[in-house]
């Protein structure tokens, strides 16, 4: 770890994405955020795993910076390892942390897509912030429908939840949990989801402009 303080990138991701997802999920009263007395809090645990995944990715790259798809992938993997959600009821979703991880990664892509899009629009800073907030509420990231599958009968999201859930298991020898998360594979998934949603973003922006007229 190069620093004992989270980077500006992680702070941005936490403030705009992770904290918001935590708030939405915990409002359901089915989950709370993991807390272990005397140990580091969840935001720092996620940050440490996020940095580890980033370092691992950079070892196989010629550059020194990760693109948005790899950042989304690293954050997704970090959340899976930390498992920040703890159920508070007997009825809960077994893949709750995987769902959170995927949604966090998708929202990273969404955030960068919106910022890049508005960077090319002639807006002053106040209007840019206003439109960014409106887009966040109106631009919903879509996934390929089940009709677009060739032979699979399960929807795209459920397949990803399962894939993330199966990326870790308890080792019978060490009795510890082993993670086989593939940064590159999920970076490619996030890349294709961005391409799939470009037109969706354009339509959401055009809808907002029409609402103003």
């Amino acid at each position: 770890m190069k620093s004992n303080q989270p980077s500006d990138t992680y702070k941005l991701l936490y403030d705009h994405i992770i904290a918001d997802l935590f708030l939405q999920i915990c409002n359901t009263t089915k989950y709370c955020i993991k807390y272990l007395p005397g140990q580091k809090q969840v935001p720092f645990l996620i940050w440490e795993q996020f940095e580890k995944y980033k370092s691992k990715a950079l070892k196989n790259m010629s550059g020194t910076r990760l693109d948005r798809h790899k950042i989304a992938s690293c954050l997704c993997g970090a959340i899976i390892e930390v498992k920040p959600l703890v159920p508070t009821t007997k009825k809960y979703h077994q893949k709750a942390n995987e769902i959170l991880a995927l949604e966090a990664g998708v929202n990273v892509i969404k955030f960068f897509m919106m910022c890049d899009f508005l960077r090319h629009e002639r807006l002053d800073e106040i209007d840019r912030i206003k439109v960014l907030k409106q887009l966040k509420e109106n631009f919903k990231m879509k996934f390929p429908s089940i009709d677009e599958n060739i032979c699979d009968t399960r929807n795209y999201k459920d397949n990803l939840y399962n894939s993330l859930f199966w990326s870790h298991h308890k080792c019978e020898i060490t009795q510890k949990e082993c993670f086989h998360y593939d940064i590159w594979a999920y970076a490619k998934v996030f890349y294709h989801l961005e391409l799939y949603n470009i037109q969706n973003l354009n339509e959401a922006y055009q809808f907002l402009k029409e609402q103003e007229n």
Side-chain angles (χ1 to χ4, degrees), residues 80 83 98 164-170 177-180:
I80 291 172
K83 295 183 178 181
E98 285 71 26
L164 291 171
F165 188 71
W166 295 329
S167 70
H168 56 97
H169 71 281
K170 189 173 183 179
E177 192 160 22
C178 298
F179 291 87
H180 308 282

Side-chain angles (χ1 to χ4, degrees), residues 93-106:
H93 202 301
Q94 187 182 24
K95 303 181 183 74
N97 282 295
E98 285 71 26
I99 293 172
L100 169 64
L102 180 64
E103 292 300 323
V106 168

Side-chain angles (χ1 to χ4, degrees), residues 75-110:
L75 184 62
C76 181
I79 290 173
I80 291 172
E81 289 215 30
V82 172
K83 295 183 178 181
L85 298 182
V86 177
T88 57
T89 64
K90 292 183 179 179
K91 293 183 178 180
Y92 64 94
H93 202 301
Q94 187 182 24
K95 303 181 183 74
N97 282 295
E98 285 71 26
I99 293 172
L100 169 64
L102 180 64
E103 292 300 323
V106 168
N107 276 279
V108 169
I109 300 303
K110 174 181 175 178

Side-chain angles (χ1 to χ4, degrees), residues 24 34 41 49 69 76-77 103 107 135 141 156 174 196:
Q24 293 178 49
K34 179 169 63 178
Q41 296 183 14
Q49 291 299 330
H69 313 106
C76 181
E103 292 300 323
N107 276 279
L135 267 181
M141 292 285 282
Y156 193 93
T174 64
Y196 191 80

Side-chain angles (χ1 to χ4, degrees), residues 12-209:
L12 183 72
L13 297 179
Y14 190 87
D15 291 342
H16 288 272
I17 296 170
I18 305 173
D20 187 45
L21 288 171
F22 279 163
L23 181 62
Q24 293 178 49
I25 293 171
C26 291
N27 276 341
T28 67
T29 70
K30 289 185 178 181
Y31 306 94
C32 65
I33 307 303
K34 179 169 63 178
Y35 173 73
L36 299 173
Q39 296 189 24
K40 295 178 181 177
Q41 296 183 14
V42 161
F44 287 92
L45 294 175
I46 296 175
W47 165 62
E48 288 181 346
Q49 291 299 330
F50 175 65
E51 290 297 328
K52 288 178 181 178
Y53 273 117
K54 280 178 58 182
S55 297
K56 185 176 179 180
L58 286 168
K59 287 179 181 178
N60 295 293
M61 295 176 59
S62 57
T64 58
R65 298 185 65 181
L66 301 181
D67 60 40
R68 68 186 72 177
H69 313 106
K70 295 181 185 66
I71 287 175
S73 182
C74 289
L75 184 62
C76 181
I79 290 173
I80 291 172
E81 289 215 30
V82 172
K83 295 183 178 181
L85 298 182
V86 177
T88 57
T89 64
K90 292 183 179 179
K91 293 183 178 180
Y92 64 94
H93 202 301
Q94 187 182 24
K95 303 181 183 74
N97 282 295
E98 285 71 26
I99 293 172
L100 169 64
L102 180 64
E103 292 300 323
V106 168
N107 276 279
V108 169
I109 300 303
K110 174 181 175 178
F111 181 74
F112 279 103
M113 285 179 72
M114 293 188 300
C115 290
D116 279 358
F117 184 87
L118 294 179
R119 194 173 292 122
H120 296 93
E121 295 295 312
R122 295 181 178 179
L123 300 169
D124 59 35
E125 189 61 25
I126 295 177
D127 285 340
R128 194 181 305 278
I129 294 173
K130 175 186 174 183
V131 175
L132 182 62
K133 183 179 179 181
Q134 292 174 329
L135 267 181
K136 183 180 179 181
E137 296 173 355
N138 289 275
F139 167 43
K140 309 297 182 184
M141 292 285 282
K142 294 180 179 179
F143 291 74
S145 70
I146 196 167
D147 295 332
E148 295 175 72
N149 288 343
I150 296 175
C151 60
D152 205 334
T153 57
R154 187 177 285 110
N155 70 54
Y156 193 93
K157 261 192 174 183
D158 283 340
N159 279 333
L160 287 176
Y161 295 152
N162 286 335
S163 177
L164 291 171
F165 188 71
W166 295 329
S167 70
H168 56 97
H169 71 281
K170 189 173 183 179
C171 177
E172 294 181 1
I173 299 175
T174 64
Q175 292 300 302
K176 294 181 179 180
E177 192 160 22
C178 298
F179 291 87
H180 308 282
Y181 181 79
D182 190 328
I183 300 169
W184 309 96
Y186 287 98
K188 185 63 72 175
V189 169
F190 290 124
Y191 169 71
H192 285 296
L193 285 174
E194 176 173 345
L195 295 182
Y196 191 80
N197 280 278
I198 290 175
Q199 183 59 32
N200 186 23
L201 174 57
N202 285 322
E203 291 174 359
Y205 183 66
Q206 291 304 317
F207 174 78
L208 290 177
K209 290 180 67 175

